[in-house]
Amino acid sequence: MKGMGVDMLNKKSVDDINVKGKRVLVRCDFNVPLQEGKITDENRLVAALPTIKKLINDGGKVILCSHLGKPKGEPKPELSLAPVAVRLAELLGQEVKFAKDDNVVGENAKAAVAAMKDGDVVLLENTRYRAEETKNGEAFSKELASLCDVFVNDAFGTAHRAHCSNVGVTQFVDTAVVGYLMQKEIEFLGNAVNNPKRPFVAILGGSKVSSKISVIENLLDKVDTLIIGGGMAYTFLKAMGKETGKSLLEPDYIDYAKKMLDKAAEKNVKMLIPVDNVVATEFNNDAPFKTVGQDIEEGYLGLDIGEETCKLYADAIKDAKTVVWNGPMGVFEMSNFAAGTIAIAKALSEIDATTIIGGGDSAAAVNILGFGDKMTHISTGGGASLEFLEGKELPGVAAANDK
């Protein structure tokens, strides 16, 4: 995959096209949590509204599509987008006609689109009801394209995957652009990585070094400070010759961790590893816990960064002008091991800088802890934002190819 160049950042958006009287297919990310048919978190619906409203106001015939969950190519009533149509209609203040076809582009969809007037909205059924969706099959891509004159991709959460509804369809339409949400993601993540205001600090947490290899490599070429926390820290501590007890460890990556520590030193990048750790005898919020230094004794496992590390990391963040954070500092779902993640979120909320949260667990943590509104940008895509930070070109972004 070629590196992310400037062309990735200069995509045509919904502001660059005239949609009056045209059929516009919009790939949204309506992959929302449902419980007994009720949406329990509607952030993704709200995030999609600016693009949808813009297209309605410009007189487009707006056809929305999205996946929901993993039906694996089979219609599953509990993964239908029907509840999304109902809630969207309330949020938009107008009818959203739901085209209930198990094959997504069926008689209902075709009839609903044929009957549309300018400014109308139709929502198609879950694109993953079709097995070809995740395989980027040509037939389904053509069917989706047959419904529209213009394609808008506003689903950053799936931008790192090449599917029919975000990549395949673009082969068969004349105009393919990005929506406001996608544009914002490209702008924030792209500028942070390619043209950051300095000092530029990256904070990486989460459980595994293996899942962040390319991110670490790419960021060491760009940042002034790299902060490591979470389960992945113990592989780095082991590489420094420390004892890690029964903490999460990836033995195959110890040499790699050593190389990264050396690379940081060569490049004059400050690489911060925990100086103290909160440890317990088992992975359980009720287990007895204590704080130790960099060595973790036999029978204990590290579950969070300690108080000294929290201070060290908050200090490193204090003067930053750009911060990217991906991955929690500890097991933040357990109250006894959430202090490190809270300390980072708090430090970020207090600085005058561009603060970007790279989706996934960090986004959940920031929102749960109530710091969401203090961040410059919270990415809607965990996997996609990670690949962006690796410097990869995302298929879903590349496909909006300025036709």
Side-chain angles (χ1 to χ4, degrees):
M1 230 179 222
K2 66 178 192 277
M4 185 183 62
V6 177
D7 59 323
M8 186 97 159
L9 305 181
N10 294 332
K11 289 288 165 189
K12 283 188 184 167
S13 81
V14 287
D15 285 333
D16 301 313
I17 53 173
N18 174 13
V19 297
K20 182 146 181 59
K22 290 181 181 163
R23 299 168 305 157
V24 187
L25 179 67
V26 189
R27 174 51 157 107
C28 300
D29 183 1
F30 294 150
N31 187 23
V32 291
L34 284 174
Q35 268 176 6
E36 290 161 23
K38 291 268 179 294
I39 299 164
T40 55
D41 178 351
E42 55 187 44
N43 276 341
R44 286 180 170 172
L45 302 192
V46 174
L49 295 177
T51 295
I52 299 169
K53 285 178 176 167
K54 160 79 176 160
L55 295 167
I56 291 169
N57 292 339
D58 286 356
K61 297 171 178 177
V62 185
I63 306 149
L64 308 173
C65 69
S66 175
H67 78 285
L68 174 61
K70 294 183 177 172
K72 303 209 163 128
E74 283 176 27
K76 294 201 169 123
E78 69 277 15
L79 292 177
S80 170
L81 282 171
V84 170
V86 174
R87 186 64 190 125
L88 262 183
E90 291 166 3
L91 291 168
L92 288 167
Q94 73 174 72
E95 186 191 8
V96 172
K97 192 162 182 51
F98 182 57
K100 188 165 174 36
D101 291 307
D102 284 349
N103 63 344
V104 188
V105 183
E107 293 314 310
N108 290 324
K110 288 171 187 166
V113 171
M116 289 179 93
K117 296 183 176 66
D118 295 1
D120 281 358
V121 181
V122 167
L123 173 63
L124 305 181
E125 185 53 283
N126 189 340
T127 56
R128 287 195 191 166
Y129 275 13
R130 292 281 290 266
E132 314 97 297
E133 160 74 325
T134 54
K135 300 181 180 75
N136 198 11
E138 190 172 291
F140 184 36
S141 298
K142 278 182 174 167
E143 285 171 43
L144 287 166
S146 73
L147 294 178
C148 69
D149 308 300
V150 174
F151 175 71
V152 176
N153 191 356
D154 211 21
F156 184 73
T158 54
H160 59 313
R161 304 272 181 255
H163 292 172
C164 295
S165 64
N166 69 340
V167 172
V169 64
T170 64
Q171 307 301 307
F172 306 104
V173 293
D174 291 333
T175 306
V177 300
V178 297
Y180 288 139
L181 188 58
M182 192 77 126
Q183 191 180 30
K184 195 174 158 206
E185 294 275 13
I186 295 167
E187 218 168 86
F188 276 109
L189 287 161
N191 284 337
V193 176
N194 291 330
N195 190 20
K197 277 194 187 144
R198 297 190 179 275
F200 176 20
V201 177
I203 307 159
L204 293 180
S207 53
K208 292 182 171 175
V209 177
S210 51
S211 62
K212 304 264 164 90
I213 286 178
S214 311
V215 182
I216 296 170
E217 295 222 22
N218 193 42
L219 290 177
L220 279 177
D221 290 328
K222 297 174 188 294
V223 298
D224 300 296
T225 303
L226 181 59
I227 292 173
I228 300 284
M232 63 193 278
Y234 308 113
T235 302
F236 280 95
L237 284 167
K238 194 72 168 175
M240 291 160 66
K242 306 295 179 188
E243 292 301 324
T244 56
K246 55 177 187 174
S247 305
L248 187 68
L249 190 68
E250 291 180 283
D252 295 351
Y253 290 91
I254 293 168
D255 283 346
Y256 170 79
K258 278 185 190 145
K259 275 188 201 135
M260 290 304 102
L261 289 161
D262 292 343
K263 182 176 175 178
E266 263 167 52
K267 291 196 161 282
N268 219 6
V269 170
K270 256 198 228 158
M271 191 160 175
L272 302 181
I273 309 291
V275 291
D276 60 346
N277 299 277
V278 179
V279 300
T281 49
E282 54 184 295
F283 188 83
N284 186 326
N285 197 46
D286 301 324
F289 63 94
K290 61 181 180 178
T291 303
V292 299
Q294 285 188 316
D295 281 305
I296 297 168
E297 66 199 82
E298 218 29 67
Y300 281 85
L301 71 160
L303 294 173
D304 196 12
I305 57 174
E307 209 172 310
E308 288 307 309
T309 306
C310 289
K311 281 185 197 140
L312 175 74
Y313 289 5
D315 266 355
I317 290 165
K318 208 170 59 219
D319 300 319
K321 284 293 161 214
T322 305
V323 184
V324 173
W325 178 21
N326 188 289
M329 295 293 101
V331 190
F332 80 97
E333 312 90 299
M334 297 183 190
S335 56
N336 286 334
F337 312 111
T341 303
I342 293 169
I344 293 288
K346 191 170 181 303
L348 291 185
S349 74
E350 290 167 353
I351 59 172
D352 177 21
T354 300
T355 49
I356 298 159
I357 313 303
D361 286 341
S362 339
V366 165
N367 285 325
I368 290 164
L369 300 169
F371 292 108
D373 60 341
K374 302 273 195 314
M375 305 301 157
T376 313
H377 179 66
I378 299 177
S379 178
T380 54
S385 67
L386 259 187
E387 292 203 10
F388 218 121
L389 296 177
E390 287 174 32
K392 282 186 178 175
E393 183 169 79
L394 308 186
V397 180
N401 48 11
D402 307 352
K403 288 179 173 178

